[in-house]
PDB file of all heavy atoms in Angstrom:
ATOM      1  N   GLY A  19     104.545 108.558 123.584  1.00 94.00           N
ATOM      2  CA  GLY A  19     103.407 107.565 123.301  1.00 94.00           C
ATOM      3  C   GLY A  19     103.333 106.579 124.503  1.00 94.00           C
ATOM      4  O   GLY A  19     102.209 106.254 124.883  1.00 94.00           O
ATOM      5  N   ARG A  20     104.377 106.092 124.875  1.00 95.00           N
ATOM      6  CA  ARG A  20     104.394 105.152 126.107  1.00 95.00           C
ATOM      7  C   ARG A  20     103.958 105.705 127.265  1.00 95.00           C
ATOM      8  O   ARG A  20     103.134 105.220 128.137  1.00 95.00           O
ATOM      9  CB  ARG A  20     105.760 104.465 126.185  1.00 95.00           C
ATOM     10  CG  ARG A  20     106.213 103.432 125.301  1.00 95.00           C
ATOM     11  CD  ARG A  20     107.436 102.750 125.539  1.00 95.00           C
ATOM     12  NE  ARG A  20     108.659 103.523 125.575  1.00 95.00           N
ATOM     13  CZ  ARG A  20     109.407 103.806 124.485  1.00 95.00           C
ATOM     14  NH1 ARG A  20     109.053 103.336 123.258  1.00 95.00           N
ATOM     15  NH2 ARG A  20     110.489 104.568 124.595  1.00 95.00           N
ATOM     16  N   VAL A  21     104.308 107.039 127.535  1.00 96.00           N
ATOM     17  CA  VAL A  21     103.746 107.687 128.751  1.00 96.00           C
ATOM     18  C   VAL A  21     102.188 107.850 128.674  1.00 96.00           C
ATOM     19  O   VAL A  21     101.425 107.551 129.672  1.00 96.00           O
ATOM     20  CB  VAL A  21     104.372 109.086 128.925  1.00 96.00           C
ATOM     21  CG1 VAL A  21     103.628 109.903 130.023  1.00 96.00           C
ATOM     22  CG2 VAL A  21     105.812 109.062 129.191  1.00 96.00           C
ATOM     23  N   MET A  22     101.692 108.265 127.500  1.00 95.00           N
ATOM     24  CA  MET A  22     100.366 108.514 127.459  1.00 95.00           C
ATOM     25  C   MET A  22      99.428 107.121 127.526  1.00 95.00           C
ATOM     26  O   MET A  22      98.476 107.095 128.181  1.00 95.00           O
ATOM     27  CB  MET A  22      99.927 108.986 125.998  1.00 95.00           C
ATOM     28  CG  MET A  22     100.440 110.592 125.855  1.00 95.00           C
ATOM     29  SD  MET A  22     100.473 111.193 124.235  1.00 95.00           S
ATOM     30  CE  MET A  22      98.709 110.984 123.758  1.00 95.00           C
ATOM     31  N   LEU A  23     100.005 106.094 126.891  1.00 96.00           N
ATOM     32  CA  LEU A  23      99.372 104.754 127.025  1.00 96.00           C
ATOM     33  C   LEU A  23      99.415 104.194 128.418  1.00 96.00           C
ATOM     34  O   LEU A  23      98.438 103.698 128.975  1.00 96.00           O
ATOM     35  CB  LEU A  23     100.185 103.836 126.100  1.00 96.00           C
ATOM     36  CG  LEU A  23      99.565 102.471 126.031  1.00 96.00           C
ATOM     37  CD1 LEU A  23      98.115 102.351 125.544  1.00 96.00           C
ATOM     38  CD2 LEU A  23     100.471 101.452 125.189  1.00 96.00           C
ATOM     39  N   ALA A  24     100.565 104.347 129.142  1.00 97.00           N
ATOM     40  CA  ALA A  24     100.643 103.817 130.518  1.00 97.00           C
ATOM     41  C   ALA A  24      99.718 104.586 131.399  1.00 97.00           C
ATOM     42  O   ALA A  24      99.008 104.105 132.310  1.00 97.00           O
ATOM     43  CB  ALA A  24     102.087 103.887 131.038  1.00 97.00           C
ATOM     44  N   ALA A  25      99.658 105.985 131.131  1.00 96.00           N
ATOM     45  CA  ALA A  25      98.757 106.796 132.033  1.00 96.00           C
ATOM     46  C   ALA A  25      97.263 106.406 131.800  1.00 96.00           C
ATOM     47  O   ALA A  25      96.539 106.393 132.732  1.00 96.00           O
ATOM     48  CB  ALA A  25      99.027 108.274 131.896  1.00 96.00           C
ATOM     49  N   ARG A  26      96.989 106.106 130.536  1.00 97.00           N
ATOM     50  CA  ARG A  26      95.600 105.860 130.241  1.00 97.00           C
ATOM     51  C   ARG A  26      95.207 104.500 130.826  1.00 97.00           C
ATOM     52  O   ARG A  26      94.141 104.331 131.305  1.00 97.00           O
ATOM     53  CB  ARG A  26      95.393 105.737 128.697  1.00 97.00           C
ATOM     54  CG  ARG A  26      94.021 106.133 128.191  1.00 97.00           C
ATOM     55  CD  ARG A  26      93.922 106.321 126.700  1.00 97.00           C
ATOM     56  NE  ARG A  26      94.904 107.229 126.186  1.00 97.00           N
ATOM     57  CZ  ARG A  26      95.644 106.847 125.030  1.00 97.00           C
ATOM     58  NH1 ARG A  26      95.600 105.654 124.514  1.00 97.00           N
ATOM     59  NH2 ARG A  26      96.602 107.716 124.675  1.00 97.00           N
ATOM     60  N   ARG A  27      96.103 103.481 130.541  1.00 97.00           N
ATOM     61  CA  ARG A  27      95.762 102.069 131.083  1.00 97.00           C
ATOM     62  C   ARG A  27      95.791 101.953 132.646  1.00 97.00           C
ATOM     63  O   ARG A  27      95.007 101.177 133.067  1.00 97.00           O
ATOM     64  CB  ARG A  27      96.734 101.132 130.442  1.00 97.00           C
ATOM     65  CG  ARG A  27      96.430 100.864 128.994  1.00 97.00           C
ATOM     66  CD  ARG A  27      97.299  99.700 128.521  1.00 97.00           C
ATOM     67  NE  ARG A  27      96.978  99.426 127.177  1.00 97.00           N
ATOM     68  CZ  ARG A  27      97.749  98.679 126.474  1.00 97.00           C
ATOM     69  NH1 ARG A  27      98.798  98.097 126.873  1.00 97.00           N
ATOM     70  NH2 ARG A  27      97.308  98.432 125.077  1.00 97.00           N
ATOM     71  N   HIS A  28      96.862 102.542 133.197  1.00 97.00           N
ATOM     72  CA  HIS A  28      97.051 102.244 134.598  1.00 97.00           C
ATOM     73  C   HIS A  28      96.934 103.357 135.558  1.00 97.00           C
ATOM     74  O   HIS A  28      97.068 103.189 136.784  1.00 97.00           O
ATOM     75  CB  HIS A  28      98.536 101.710 134.781  1.00 97.00           C
ATOM     76  CG  HIS A  28      98.863 100.624 133.819  1.00 97.00           C
ATOM     77  ND1 HIS A  28      98.396  99.226 134.113  1.00 97.00           N
ATOM     78  CD2 HIS A  28      99.608 100.483 132.738  1.00 97.00           C
ATOM     79  CE1 HIS A  28      98.738  98.468 133.175  1.00 97.00           C
ATOM     80  NE2 HIS A  28      99.537  99.141 132.272  1.00 97.00           N
ATOM     81  N   GLY A  29      96.703 104.569 135.064  1.00 96.00           N
ATOM     82  CA  GLY A  29      96.616 105.755 135.846  1.00 96.00           C
ATOM     83  C   GLY A  29      97.849 106.657 135.918  1.00 96.00           C
ATOM     84  O   GLY A  29      98.902 106.025 135.681  1.00 96.00           O
ATOM     85  N   ASP A  30      97.714 107.780 136.037  1.00 93.00           N
ATOM     86  CA  ASP A  30      98.870 108.756 135.901  1.00 93.00           C
ATOM     87  C   ASP A  30     100.024 108.605 136.945  1.00 93.00           C
ATOM     88  O   ASP A  30     101.106 108.822 136.665  1.00 93.00           O
ATOM     89  CB  ASP A  30      98.373 110.218 135.958  1.00 93.00           C
ATOM     90  CG  ASP A  30      99.311 111.210 135.485  1.00 93.00           C
ATOM     91  OD1 ASP A  30      99.983 110.851 134.380  1.00 93.00           O
ATOM     92  OD2 ASP A  30      99.485 112.353 135.998  1.00 93.00           O
ATOM     93  N   ASP A  31      99.583 108.096 138.110  1.00 94.00           N
ATOM     94  CA  ASP A  31     100.511 107.892 139.196  1.00 94.00           C
ATOM     95  C   ASP A  31     100.946 106.448 139.362  1.00 94.00           C
ATOM     96  O   ASP A  31     101.678 106.101 140.348  1.00 94.00           O
ATOM     97  CB  ASP A  31     100.012 108.382 140.592  1.00 94.00           C
ATOM     98  CG  ASP A  31      99.809 109.858 140.519  1.00 94.00           C
ATOM     99  OD1 ASP A  31     100.616 110.656 139.773  1.00 94.00           O
ATOM    100  OD2 ASP A  31      98.993 110.490 141.111  1.00 94.00           O
ATOM    101  N   SER A  32     100.659 105.574 138.483  1.00 96.00           N
ATOM    102  CA  SER A  32     100.911 104.167 138.563  1.00 96.00           C
ATOM    103  C   SER A  32     102.428 103.905 138.360  1.00 96.00           C
ATOM    104  O   SER A  32     103.190 104.885 137.766  1.00 96.00           O
ATOM    105  CB  SER A  32     100.192 103.354 137.509  1.00 96.00           C
ATOM    106  OG  SER A  32     100.677 103.759 136.236  1.00 96.00           O
ATOM    107  N   ALA A  33     102.966 102.863 138.816  1.00 96.00           N
ATOM    108  CA  ALA A  33     104.393 102.544 138.502  1.00 96.00           C
ATOM    109  C   ALA A  33     104.785 102.586 137.122  1.00 96.00           C
ATOM    110  O   ALA A  33     105.771 102.841 136.702  1.00 96.00           O
ATOM    111  CB  ALA A  33     104.695 101.165 139.189  1.00 96.00           C
ATOM    112  N   GLN A  34     103.772 101.922 136.251  1.00 96.00           N
ATOM    113  CA  GLN A  34     104.117 101.854 134.802  1.00 96.00           C
ATOM    114  C   GLN A  34     104.252 103.300 134.191  1.00 96.00           C
ATOM    115  O   GLN A  34     105.099 103.528 133.453  1.00 96.00           O
ATOM    116  CB  GLN A  34     102.892 101.126 134.154  1.00 96.00           C
ATOM    117  CG  GLN A  34     102.912  99.722 134.407  1.00 96.00           C
ATOM    118  CD  GLN A  34     102.167  99.334 135.814  1.00 96.00           C
ATOM    119  OE1 GLN A  34     101.670 100.268 136.435  1.00 96.00           O
ATOM    120  NE2 GLN A  34     101.690  98.076 135.930  1.00 96.00           N
ATOM    121  N   ALA A  35     103.282 104.231 134.601  1.00 96.00           N
ATOM    122  CA  ALA A  35     103.310 105.542 134.085  1.00 96.00           C
ATOM    123  C   ALA A  35     104.561 106.260 134.555  1.00 96.00           C
ATOM    124  O   ALA A  35     105.201 107.113 133.724  1.00 96.00           O
ATOM    125  CB  ALA A  35     102.011 106.308 134.493  1.00 96.00           C
ATOM    126  N   LEU A  36     104.984 106.100 135.888  1.00 96.00           N
ATOM    127  CA  LEU A  36     106.198 106.746 136.286  1.00 96.00           C
ATOM    128  C   LEU A  36     107.444 106.208 135.693  1.00 96.00           C
ATOM    129  O   LEU A  36     108.311 107.014 135.344  1.00 96.00           O
ATOM    130  CB  LEU A  36     106.254 106.600 137.891  1.00 96.00           C
ATOM    131  CG  LEU A  36     105.084 107.234 138.661  1.00 96.00           C
ATOM    132  CD1 LEU A  36     105.205 106.928 140.151  1.00 96.00           C
ATOM    133  CD2 LEU A  36     105.098 108.667 138.483  1.00 96.00           C
ATOM    134  N   ALA A  37     107.455 104.947 135.360  1.00 95.00           N
ATOM    135  CA  ALA A  37     108.589 104.308 134.636  1.00 95.00           C
ATOM    136  C   ALA A  37     108.640 104.941 133.244  1.00 95.00           C
ATOM    137  O   ALA A  37     109.734 105.286 132.662  1.00 95.00           O
ATOM    138  CB  ALA A  37     108.506 102.754 134.575  1.00 95.00           C
ATOM    139  N   ALA A  38     107.550 105.048 132.623  1.00 96.00           N
ATOM    140  CA  ALA A  38     107.525 105.633 131.269  1.00 96.00           C
ATOM    141  C   ALA A  38     108.054 107.105 131.207  1.00 96.00           C
ATOM    142  O   ALA A  38     108.731 107.531 130.349  1.00 96.00           O
ATOM    143  CB  ALA A  38     106.034 105.561 130.676  1.00 96.00           C
ATOM    144  N   LYS A  39     107.539 107.753 132.316  1.00 95.00           N
ATOM    145  CA  LYS A  39     107.888 109.308 132.352  1.00 95.00           C
ATOM    146  C   LYS A  39     109.459 109.279 132.686  1.00 95.00           C
ATOM    147  O   LYS A  39     110.118 110.137 132.040  1.00 95.00           O
ATOM    148  CB  LYS A  39     107.190 109.966 133.528  1.00 95.00           C
ATOM    149  CG  LYS A  39     105.702 110.087 133.251  1.00 95.00           C
ATOM    150  CD  LYS A  39     105.013 110.748 134.492  1.00 95.00           C
ATOM    151  CE  LYS A  39     103.543 110.869 134.302  1.00 95.00           C
ATOM    152  NZ  LYS A  39     102.827 111.271 135.453  1.00 95.00           N
ATOM    153  N   GLN A  40     110.081 108.301 133.454  1.00 93.00           N
ATOM    154  CA  GLN A  40     111.469 108.412 133.638  1.00 93.00           C
ATOM    155  C   GLN A  40     112.216 108.140 132.277  1.00 93.00           C
ATOM    156  O   GLN A  40     113.145 108.738 131.968  1.00 93.00           O
ATOM    157  CB  GLN A  40     111.846 107.443 134.689  1.00 93.00           C
ATOM    158  CG  GLN A  40     113.317 107.402 134.918  1.00 93.00           C
ATOM    159  CD  GLN A  40     113.937 108.691 135.442  1.00 93.00           C
ATOM    160  OE1 GLN A  40     113.189 109.511 136.157  1.00 93.00           O
ATOM    161  NE2 GLN A  40     115.148 108.922 135.224  1.00 93.00           N
ATOM    162  N   HIS A  41     111.710 107.236 131.455  1.00 92.00           N
ATOM    163  CA  HIS A  41     112.290 106.772 130.260  1.00 92.00           C
ATOM    164  C   HIS A  41     112.269 108.012 129.331  1.00 92.00           C
ATOM    165  O   HIS A  41     113.142 108.340 128.562  1.00 92.00           O
ATOM    166  CB  HIS A  41     111.503 105.635 129.574  1.00 92.00           C
ATOM    167  CG  HIS A  41     112.075 105.247 128.360  1.00 92.00           C
ATOM    168  ND1 HIS A  41     113.207 104.462 128.225  1.00 92.00           N
ATOM    169  CD2 HIS A  41     111.677 105.534 126.940  1.00 92.00           C
ATOM    170  CE1 HIS A  41     113.550 104.260 126.975  1.00 92.00           C
ATOM    171  NE2 HIS A  41     112.566 104.888 126.115  1.00 92.00           N
ATOM    172  N   LEU A  42     111.071 108.772 129.292  1.00 93.00           N
ATOM    173  CA  LEU A  42     110.987 110.007 128.488  1.00 93.00           C
ATOM    174  C   LEU A  42     112.044 111.027 128.898  1.00 93.00           C
ATOM    175  O   LEU A  42     112.766 111.697 128.096  1.00 93.00           O
ATOM    176  CB  LEU A  42     109.607 110.609 128.582  1.00 93.00           C
ATOM    177  CG  LEU A  42     109.403 111.999 127.937  1.00 93.00           C
ATOM    178  CD1 LEU A  42     109.609 111.877 126.438  1.00 93.00           C
ATOM    179  CD2 LEU A  42     108.022 112.495 128.156  1.00 93.00           C
ATOM    180  N   ARG A  43     112.251 111.260 130.194  1.00 92.00           N
ATOM    181  CA  ARG A  43     113.222 112.179 130.687  1.00 92.00           C
ATOM    182  C   ARG A  43     114.563 111.815 130.259  1.00 92.00           C
ATOM    183  O   ARG A  43     115.355 112.584 129.865  1.00 92.00           O
ATOM    184  CB  ARG A  43     113.263 112.238 132.203  1.00 92.00           C
ATOM    185  CG  ARG A  43     111.980 113.109 132.733  1.00 92.00           C
ATOM    186  CD  ARG A  43     112.227 113.306 134.281  1.00 92.00           C
ATOM    187  NE  ARG A  43     111.908 112.272 135.020  1.00 92.00           N
ATOM    188  CZ  ARG A  43     110.763 111.777 135.496  1.00 92.00           C
ATOM    189  NH1 ARG A  43     109.664 112.510 135.254  1.00 92.00           N
ATOM    190  NH2 ARG A  43     110.600 110.684 136.281  1.00 92.00           N
ATOM    191  N   CYS A  44     114.961 110.542 130.210  1.00 87.00           N
ATOM    192  CA  CYS A  44     116.266 110.018 129.790  1.00 87.00           C
ATOM    193  C   CYS A  44     116.325 110.171 128.331  1.00 87.00           C
ATOM    194  O   CYS A  44     117.494 110.535 127.889  1.00 87.00           O
ATOM    195  CB  CYS A  44     116.375 108.509 130.087  1.00 87.00           C
ATOM    196  SG  CYS A  44     116.589 108.193 131.888  1.00 87.00           S
ATOM    197  N   ALA A  45     115.361 110.055 127.533  1.00 88.00           N
ATOM    198  CA  ALA A  45     115.489 110.193 126.097  1.00 88.00           C
ATOM    199  C   ALA A  45     115.676 111.630 125.767  1.00 88.00           C
ATOM    200  O   ALA A  45     116.450 111.988 124.979  1.00 88.00           O
ATOM    201  CB  ALA A  45     114.085 109.754 125.470  1.00 88.00           C
ATOM    202  N   VAL A  46     115.055 112.539 126.519  1.00 89.00           N
ATOM    203  CA  VAL A  46     115.156 113.986 126.417  1.00 89.00           C
ATOM    204  C   VAL A  46     116.632 114.473 126.710  1.00 89.00           C
ATOM    205  O   VAL A  46     117.300 115.198 126.007  1.00 89.00           O
ATOM    206  CB  VAL A  46     114.085 114.849 127.006  1.00 89.00           C
ATOM    207  CG1 VAL A  46     114.469 116.319 127.151  1.00 89.00           C
ATOM    208  CG2 VAL A  46     112.811 114.622 126.520  1.00 89.00           C
ATOM    209  N   LEU A  47     117.085 113.907 127.883  1.00 87.00           N
ATOM    210  CA  LEU A  47     118.392 114.264 128.297  1.00 87.00           C
ATOM    211  C   LEU A  47     119.385 113.780 127.264  1.00 87.00           C
ATOM    212  O   LEU A  47     120.357 114.534 127.032  1.00 87.00           O
ATOM    213  CB  LEU A  47     118.735 113.546 129.633  1.00 87.00           C
ATOM    214  CG  LEU A  47     120.067 113.820 130.251  1.00 87.00           C
ATOM    215  CD1 LEU A  47     120.381 115.339 130.498  1.00 87.00           C
ATOM    216  CD2 LEU A  47     120.304 112.969 131.496  1.00 87.00           C
ATOM    217  N   ALA A  48     119.318 112.562 126.800  1.00 84.00           N
ATOM    218  CA  ALA A  48     120.269 112.062 125.745  1.00 84.00           C
ATOM    219  C   ALA A  48     120.246 112.987 124.557  1.00 84.00           C
ATOM    220  O   ALA A  48     121.310 113.198 123.905  1.00 84.00           O
ATOM    221  CB  ALA A  48     119.844 110.563 125.340  1.00 84.00           C
ATOM    222  N   ARG A  49     118.972 113.372 123.964  1.00 87.00           N
ATOM    223  CA  ARG A  49     118.925 114.242 122.849  1.00 87.00           C
ATOM    224  C   ARG A  49     119.633 115.570 123.154  1.00 87.00           C
ATOM    225  O   ARG A  49     120.461 116.090 122.354  1.00 87.00           O
ATOM    226  CB  ARG A  49     117.430 114.510 122.595  1.00 87.00           C
ATOM    227  CG  ARG A  49     117.286 115.450 121.378  1.00 87.00           C
ATOM    228  CD  ARG A  49     115.985 116.282 121.433  1.00 87.00           C
ATOM    229  NE  ARG A  49     115.843 117.049 122.619  1.00 87.00           N
ATOM    230  CZ  ARG A  49     114.669 117.548 123.031  1.00 87.00           C
ATOM    231  NH1 ARG A  49     113.595 117.325 122.465  1.00 87.00           N
ATOM    232  NH2 ARG A  49     114.709 118.327 124.113  1.00 87.00           N
ATOM    233  N   ASP A  50     119.525 116.084 124.418  1.00 88.00           N
ATOM    234  CA  ASP A  50     120.074 117.484 124.680  1.00 88.00           C
ATOM    235  C   ASP A  50     121.552 117.364 124.726  1.00 88.00           C
ATOM    236  O   ASP A  50     122.316 118.098 124.399  1.00 88.00           O
ATOM    237  CB  ASP A  50     119.581 118.046 125.932  1.00 88.00           C
ATOM    238  CG  ASP A  50     118.036 118.438 125.938  1.00 88.00           C
ATOM    239  OD1 ASP A  50     117.707 118.518 124.820  1.00 88.00           O
ATOM    240  OD2 ASP A  50     117.528 118.602 126.945  1.00 88.00           O
ATOM    241  N   ILE A  51     122.065 116.170 125.424  1.00 85.00           N
ATOM    242  CA  ILE A  51     123.585 115.970 125.352  1.00 85.00           C
ATOM    243  C   ILE A  51     124.143 115.849 124.077  1.00 85.00           C
ATOM    244  O   ILE A  51     125.245 116.453 123.704  1.00 85.00           O
ATOM    245  CB  ILE A  51     123.886 114.757 126.238  1.00 85.00           C
ATOM    246  CG1 ILE A  51     123.426 115.070 127.728  1.00 85.00           C
ATOM    247  CG2 ILE A  51     125.309 114.302 126.105  1.00 85.00           C
ATOM    248  CD1 ILE A  51     123.699 113.726 128.644  1.00 85.00           C
ATOM    249  N   ARG A  52     123.460 115.094 123.121  1.00 84.00           N
ATOM    250  CA  ARG A  52     123.863 115.014 121.779  1.00 84.00           C
ATOM    251  C   ARG A  52     123.975 116.364 121.089  1.00 84.00           C
ATOM    252  O   ARG A  52     124.947 116.641 120.281  1.00 84.00           O
ATOM    253  CB  ARG A  52     123.113 113.924 120.940  1.00 84.00           C
ATOM    254  CG  ARG A  52     123.425 112.566 121.179  1.00 84.00           C
ATOM    255  CD  ARG A  52     122.740 111.620 120.009  1.00 84.00           C
ATOM    256  NE  ARG A  52     121.276 111.879 120.024  1.00 84.00           N
ATOM    257  CZ  ARG A  52     120.290 111.174 120.925  1.00 84.00           C
ATOM    258  NH1 ARG A  52     120.852 110.337 121.732  1.00 84.00           N
ATOM    259  NH2 ARG A  52     118.988 111.401 120.636  1.00 84.00           N
ATOM    260  N   ALA A  53     122.854 117.039 121.234  1.00 87.00           N
ATOM    261  CA  ALA A  53     122.933 118.486 120.599  1.00 87.00           C
ATOM    262  C   ALA A  53     124.020 119.315 121.209  1.00 87.00           C
ATOM    263  O   ALA A  53     124.593 120.000 120.440  1.00 87.00           O
ATOM    264  CB  ALA A  53     121.645 119.103 120.813  1.00 87.00           C
ATOM    265  N   SER A  54     124.308 119.287 122.454  1.00 88.00           N
ATOM    266  CA  SER A  54     125.311 120.127 123.098  1.00 88.00           C
ATOM    267  C   SER A  54     126.656 119.652 122.622  1.00 88.00           C
ATOM    268  O   SER A  54     127.574 120.514 122.247  1.00 88.00           O
ATOM    269  CB  SER A  54     125.351 119.930 124.571  1.00 88.00           C
ATOM    270  OG  SER A  54     124.120 120.509 125.066  1.00 88.00           O
ATOM    271  N   LEU A  55     126.986 118.331 122.447  1.00 85.00           N
ATOM    272  CA  LEU A  55     128.199 117.886 121.932  1.00 85.00           C
ATOM    273  C   LEU A  55     128.403 118.240 120.422  1.00 85.00           C
ATOM    274  O   LEU A  55     129.386 118.707 120.271  1.00 85.00           O
ATOM    275  CB  LEU A  55     128.341 116.329 122.101  1.00 85.00           C
ATOM    276  CG  LEU A  55     128.521 115.914 123.492  1.00 85.00           C
ATOM    277  CD1 LEU A  55     128.270 114.239 123.497  1.00 85.00           C
ATOM    278  CD2 LEU A  55     129.974 116.232 124.067  1.00 85.00           C
ATOM    279  N   SER A  56     127.365 118.102 119.686  1.00 87.00           N
ATOM    280  CA  SER A  56     127.441 118.407 118.194  1.00 87.00           C
ATOM    281  C   SER A  56     127.647 119.895 117.983  1.00 87.00           C
ATOM    282  O   SER A  56     128.327 120.359 117.110  1.00 87.00           O
ATOM    283  CB  SER A  56     126.348 117.830 117.385  1.00 87.00           C
ATOM    284  OG  SER A  56     125.134 118.539 117.704  1.00 87.00           O
ATOM    285  N   ALA A  57     127.079 120.775 118.984  1.00 91.00           N
ATOM    286  CA  ALA A  57     127.283 122.190 118.728  1.00 91.00           C
ATOM    287  C   ALA A  57     128.615 122.686 119.395  1.00 91.00           C
ATOM    288  O   ALA A  57     128.848 123.956 119.250  1.00 91.00           O
ATOM    289  CB  ALA A  57     126.083 122.927 119.389  1.00 91.00           C
ATOM    290  N   GLY A  58     129.289 121.774 120.047  1.00 89.00           N
ATOM    291  CA  GLY A  58     130.660 122.277 120.670  1.00 89.00           C
ATOM    292  C   GLY A  58     130.416 123.061 121.981  1.00 89.00           C
ATOM    293  O   GLY A  58     131.218 123.799 122.292  1.00 89.00           O
ATOM    294  N   LEU A  59     129.294 122.811 122.563  1.00 89.00           N
ATOM    295  CA  LEU A  59     128.990 123.712 123.797  1.00 89.00           C
ATOM    296  C   LEU A  59     129.563 123.048 125.095  1.00 89.00           C
ATOM    297  O   LEU A  59     129.690 123.819 126.081  1.00 89.00           O
ATOM    298  CB  LEU A  59     127.446 123.751 123.954  1.00 89.00           C
ATOM    299  CG  LEU A  59     126.709 124.329 122.852  1.00 89.00           C
ATOM    300  CD1 LEU A  59     125.216 124.288 123.112  1.00 89.00           C
ATOM    301  CD2 LEU A  59     127.144 125.857 122.681  1.00 89.00           C
ATOM    302  N   LEU A  60     130.135 121.916 125.018  1.00 86.00           N
ATOM    303  CA  LEU A  60     130.646 121.248 126.214  1.00 86.00           C
ATOM    304  C   LEU A  60     132.264 121.412 126.069  1.00 86.00           C
ATOM    305  O   LEU A  60     132.771 120.904 125.117  1.00 86.00           O
ATOM    306  CB  LEU A  60     130.276 119.789 126.369  1.00 86.00           C
ATOM    307  CG  LEU A  60     128.650 119.728 126.518  1.00 86.00           C
ATOM    308  CD1 LEU A  60     128.361 118.281 126.704  1.00 86.00           C
ATOM    309  CD2 LEU A  60     128.192 120.329 127.720  1.00 86.00           C
TER     310      LEU A  60
END
């Protein structure tokens, strides 16, 4: 939602949108690490 809002308000290549995209990547990475740890894959 933050990525979509930032892109809509400031443009897709704006600093705000890029920061929101980075935050999304971090959130997905954290989710994947948690899943890997709980599944015993690491």
Side-chain angles (χ1 to χ4, degrees):
R20 284 191 293 275
V21 169
M22 292 170 53
L23 181 63
R26 204 173 315 132
R27 282 189 180 170
H28 305 286
D30 197 38
D31 292 329
S32 68
Q34 293 88 347
L36 295 175
K39 289 175 186 178
Q40 181 63 28
H41 182 78
L42 174 60
R43 284 190 287 273
C44 290
V46 169
L47 180 62
R49 180 206 58 196
D50 291 346
I51 290 170
R52 277 193 304 273
S54 296
L55 287 170
S56 68
L59 298 175
L60 299 178

